[in-house]
């Protein structure tokens, strides 16, 4: 039996803690915030599960991961179908026949394809070198200008010509009338919220959780006194930024209770122009079904922000320069044989929840076998 310290009670930390405890180890989870669950934390307010750190929709094509989360929660059948507001004009997302009809008036897949191909001509024969070129070669300039450029430049705080193409490859393009944002086989939101799901992962006689506890207040002591440390914080901070700072994007959330039953008619509305300072507004009650007061609703505006030391690092910025620096930190990490670096910040990867669970289960497998 080993003594294991887990730094961070987000999804990576919670899955690892649960499996390590099941394998018979004594596990201590330390968390610097005053609550568990990391960025998937949800808090119940007036009968509504509020996604405190932005909209979280679970989606995956990995059956093993889908089965795994069902051990800790039941999921509803929520299907994400955000709508874009560009200067007061509404467009369905992701890019599908509804969007093409709204943008160009085309009605059939043949008409839509002809229009897209005409728009893509601009990039004919050229290899896309950045997000702007990737977007235009994928879908053409009209959609790029109205639905991608403003949103993306706000989100990442830099021109699309300086962003990696892969970010936009996440968005599906479909020649059918289907507003489902994701292509995955499985999708939903845990009934009762994500916090309850993580609580269940951590509810084990071998697990102790300590909130309001920062690893860096006692780093050397922790590294000395535990057999293994699973670290899910920022990898550059672990090494005291000695090779330089990685870049992150931060966010500011502005939450308001409104005395109306229905504020925007959808869970997620994206503001895709450059002028509106926020990227999206979420109306939490629509992540669930028939929840909350019929005369009240809770909304959150999401403002992208530059990251400075001390801010919450919500997104890694995976461009070439940062990835090269990360690779050097990863080399240092390999030499720390007591420490496993995991999760979005520990591995500096733009992971979704399902990928974090898969990575945590792989780390568990490497450590304890089956
Ligand atoms: P985190 O959740 O960040 O957990 C790390 C934990 O470690 C935190 O609780 C932190 O406080 C703690 N910690 C850090 N440093 C220390 C320290 N020094 N001492 C003690 N504790 C420390 N994914 C999806 O699949 N679907 C979505 O719809 C989706 N939407 C998202 C929307 C937003 C706005 C964001 C930011 C992310 C979204 N994600 C989504 C991604 C998802 O949030 C992550 O994949 C997942 O939460 C990462 O889990 P993690 O354990 O790696 O990190
Ligand atoms: N995006 C966009 N317009 C939108 C929504 C998304 O251009 O209305 C782009 C943007 O660059 C964003 C990327 O698509 O960073 C991925 O979007 P997603 O909704 O998957 O981002 P996340 O939920 O991770 O912030």
């Amino acid at each position: 039996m080993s003594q294991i310290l887990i730094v961070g009670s987000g999804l990576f930390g919670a899955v690892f803690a649960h499996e390590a405890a099941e394998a018979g180890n004594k596990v201590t989870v330390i968390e610097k915030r005053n609550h568990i669950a990391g960025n998937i934390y949800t808090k119940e307010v007036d009968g509504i599960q509020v996604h405190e750190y932005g909209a979280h929709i679970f989606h995956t094509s990995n059956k093993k991961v889908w089965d795994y989360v069902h051990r800790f929660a039941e999921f509803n059948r929520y299907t994400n179908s955000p709508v874009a507001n560009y200067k007061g004009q509404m467009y369905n997302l992701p890019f599908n026949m509804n969007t093409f009809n709204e943008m160009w008036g085309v009605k059939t897949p043949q008409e839509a394809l002809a229009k897209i191909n005409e728009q893509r001509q601009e990039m004919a024969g050229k290899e896309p070198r950045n997000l702007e070129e990737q977007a235009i070669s994928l879908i053409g300039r009209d959609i790029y200008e109205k639905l991608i450029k403003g949103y993306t430049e706000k989100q990442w705080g830099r021109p699309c010509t300086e962003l990696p193409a892969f970010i936009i490859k996440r968005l599906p393009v479909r020649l059918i009338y289907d507003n489902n944002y994701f292509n995955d086989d499985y999708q939903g939101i845990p009934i009762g919220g994500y916090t309850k799901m993580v609580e269940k992962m951590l509810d084990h006689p071998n697990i102790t959780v300590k909130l309001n506890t920062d690893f860096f207040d006692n780093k050397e002591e922790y590294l000395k006194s535990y057999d293994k440390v699973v670290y899910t914080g920022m990898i550059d901070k672990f090494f005291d930024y000695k090779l330089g700072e990685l870049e992150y994007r931060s966010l500011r959330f502005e939450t308001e209770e409104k005395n109306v039953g229905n504020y925007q008619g959808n869970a997620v509305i994206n503001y895709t122009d450059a002028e509106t300072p926020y990227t999206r507004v979420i109306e939490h009650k629509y992540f669930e079904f028939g929840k909350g007061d019929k005369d009240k609703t809770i909304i959150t505006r999401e403002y992208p922000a530059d990251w400075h030391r001390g801010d919450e690092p919500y997104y890694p910025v995976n461009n070439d320069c940062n990835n090269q620096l990360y690779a050097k930190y990863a080399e240092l990490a390999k030499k720390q044989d007591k420490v496993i670096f995991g999760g979005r910040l520990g591995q500096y990867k733009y992971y979704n929840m399902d990928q974090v669970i898969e990575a945590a289960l792989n780390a568990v497998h490497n450590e304890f076998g089956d």
Side-chain angles (χ1 to χ4, degrees):
M1 184 183 71
S2 303
Q3 300 281 344
I4 300 181
L5 177 75
I6 312 259
V7 182
S9 63
L11 209 40
F12 192 98
V15 168
F16 198 103
H18 182 85
E19 295 304 317
E22 282 284 277
N25 302 288
K26 274 273 176 231
V27 181
T28 303
V29 179
I30 57 168
E31 169 56 59
K32 68 176 178 184
R33 296 180 185 170
N34 63 3
H35 60 75
I36 58 162
N39 290 339
I40 68 173
Y41 175 68
T42 46
K43 180 168 141 192
E44 190 170 321
V45 182
D46 296 341
I48 298 170
Q49 292 298 329
V50 173
H51 295 217
E52 288 267 306
Y53 302 96
H56 277 81
I57 298 105
F58 198 93
H59 57 97
T60 190
S61 289
N62 185 328
K63 178 78 165 58
K64 190 175 151 203
V65 168
W66 187 238
D67 289 343
Y68 186 79
V69 287
H70 278 79
R71 287 169 48 191
F72 307 97
E74 204 183 318
F75 280 67
N76 70 19
R77 54 154 196 84
Y78 177 81
T79 300
N80 200 29
S81 33
V83 173
N85 180 329
Y86 177 75
K87 302 189 177 189
Q89 197 71 41
M90 309 304 276
Y91 296 94
N92 285 108
L93 293 173
F95 311 130
N96 75 92
M97 283 305 297
N98 288 308
T99 331
F100 306 140
N101 176 260
E102 289 146 0
M103 187 71 59
W104 300 309
V106 293
K107 295 181 185 68
T108 65
Q110 293 72 22
E111 286 168 5
L113 192 58
K115 191 74 192 168
I116 293 170
N117 282 339
E118 177 194 310
Q119 295 246 325
R120 280 176 178 153
Q121 271 311 308
E122 186 181 336
M123 278 297 295
K126 290 186 218 147
E127 193 54 40
R129 288 164 306 177
N130 55 50
L131 195 149
E132 174 170 298
E133 294 184 356
Q134 175 67 45
I136 294 171
S137 75
L138 189 74
I139 201 71
R141 187 164 285 275
D142 285 354
I143 288 184
Y144 169 66
E145 297 280 353
K146 290 186 174 166
L147 301 181
I148 297 173
K149 188 173 190 300
Y151 186 100
T152 301
E153 295 190 345
K154 286 190 289 189
Q155 168 78 0
W156 296 100
R158 62 199 75 200
C160 287
T161 46
E162 289 172 22
L163 282 164
F166 86 90
I167 292 175
I168 204 70
K169 287 190 193 148
R170 289 162 65 97
L171 295 181
V173 176
R174 296 197 193 106
L175 290 172
I176 50 174
Y177 287 92
D178 178 1
N179 297 326
N180 178 359
Y181 197 59
F182 300 115
N183 277 331
D184 281 325
D185 294 344
Y186 313 105
Q187 184 172 176
I189 290 183
I191 295 169
Y194 287 96
T195 306
K196 216 166 104 184
M197 177 176 94
V198 174
E199 237 164 49
K200 224 169 155 189
M201 289 175 177
L202 295 175
D203 180 19
H204 193 285
N206 288 353
I207 300 180
T208 308
V209 179
K210 293 182 183 159
L211 299 177
N212 303 306
T213 307
D214 193 322
F215 175 70
F216 293 104
D217 290 342
N218 242 325
K219 179 180 171 192
E220 296 313 320
E221 189 55 38
Y222 286 130
L223 288 175
K224 239 188 278 149
S225 46
Y226 285 88
D227 302 314
K228 199 98 219 171
V229 173
V230 175
Y231 175 82
T232 71
M234 294 156 64
I235 187 166
D236 51 351
K237 184 167 183 189
F238 182 93
F239 293 107
D240 204 17
Y241 306 103
K242 71 177 172 197
L243 305 177
E245 259 180 23
L246 290 163
E247 284 179 291
Y248 301 87
R249 275 306 270 169
S250 196
L251 295 169
R252 182 170 64 82
F253 299 103
E254 191 179 84
T255 297
E256 251 184 74
E257 188 165 312
K258 297 272 186 196
N259 287 322
V260 290
N262 182 359
Y263 177 75
Q264 63 179 17
N266 202 33
V268 186
I269 307 264
N270 291 356
Y271 286 78
T272 56
D273 64 294
E275 293 76 25
T276 307
Y278 40 87
T279 46
R280 43 192 172 191
V281 179
I282 61 179
E283 187 165 5
H284 300 268
K285 61 164 54 166
Y286 295 124
F287 292 120
E288 301 170 278
F289 298 93
K291 285 289 166 70
D293 190 322
K294 69 177 181 11
D295 300 319
K296 275 198 188 135
T297 196
I298 297 170
I299 61 146
T300 301
R301 297 184 195 89
E302 192 174 312
Y303 295 81
D306 289 336
W307 177 86
H308 304 284
R309 279 194 204 186
D311 297 340
E312 283 293 342
Y314 289 105
Y315 293 93
V317 180
N318 286 117
N319 59 19
D320 289 346
C321 174
N322 288 315
N323 287 344
Q324 280 161 20
L325 180 56
Y326 166 69
K328 291 186 190 148
Y329 276 117
E331 281 304 312
L332 289 184
K334 265 194 219 152
K335 293 184 194 132
Q336 296 272 329
D337 35 291
K338 229 188 209 191
V339 186
I340 296 172
F341 292 80
R344 235 191 202 201
L345 302 174
Q347 295 179 308
Y348 198 68
K349 281 203 182 73
Y350 190 8
Y351 273 145
N352 281 325
M353 289 182 272
D354 61 327
Q355 295 168 311
V356 167
I357 293 173
E358 191 183 355
L361 291 174
N362 286 340
V364 164
H365 179 79
N366 288 342
E367 201 52 33
F368 308 113
D370 272 329

